[in-house]
Amino acid sequence: AIYHARKAVEKSRSADNLNNLGMILAGEDPDEAERCFRESLAKDPNHFAAGQNLKRLLEMLQQRKPDKEKNSADERKAK
């Protein structure tokens, strides 16, 4: 799926294609997914799906952040 989404973006960097690629990448590469959603919104500021997907992605990353901080603190305590 990633291959075909990347090919679609290579062919046309439309807001829809960038949003679709971002959706596919969200779980695997959130940083690239965020770039896709932001570029999609730059091309079409009214692209509702890209806005919602970016919001969900940022919320997901924010929820993961406390877990990473806790794990880092636990690792420091173990040393």
Side-chain angles (χ1 to χ4, degrees), residues 44-62:
D44 179 2
N46 296 316
H47 198 286
F48 182 78
Q52 290 298 305
N53 291 332
L54 177 59
K55 178 183 176 225
R56 283 189 212 113
L57 178 70
L58 294 175
E59 288 171 348
M60 177 187 77
L61 293 175
Q62 189 63 32

Side-chain angles (χ1 to χ4, degrees):
I2 291 174
Y3 172 82
H4 294 292
R6 287 188 193 280
K7 284 294 186 185
V9 168
E10 286 176 16
K11 188 175 181 181
S12 170
R13 291 188 79 79
S14 70
D16 285 335
N17 287 346
L18 287 160
N19 179 61
N20 291 341
L21 179 57
M23 288 286 297
I24 292 168
L25 292 171
E28 184 177 309
D29 188 348
D31 292 333
E32 188 175 354
E34 181 179 350
R35 286 190 294 274
C36 288
F37 295 141
R38 290 189 185 279
E39 186 176 344
S40 176
L41 288 167
K43 290 182 177 292
D44 179 2
N46 296 316
H47 198 286
F48 182 78
Q52 290 298 305
N53 291 332
L54 177 59
K55 178 183 176 225
R56 283 189 212 113
L57 178 70
L58 294 175
E59 288 171 348
M60 177 187 77
L61 293 175
Q62 189 63 32
Q63 288 175 354
R64 286 184 184 176
K65 189 175 180 181
D67 291 340
K68 286 183 180 179
E69 290 171 358
K70 181 183 180 297
N71 290 340
S72 295
D74 290 345
E75 288 172 6
R76 285 192 298 272
K77 287 179 187 176
K79 291 181 181 181

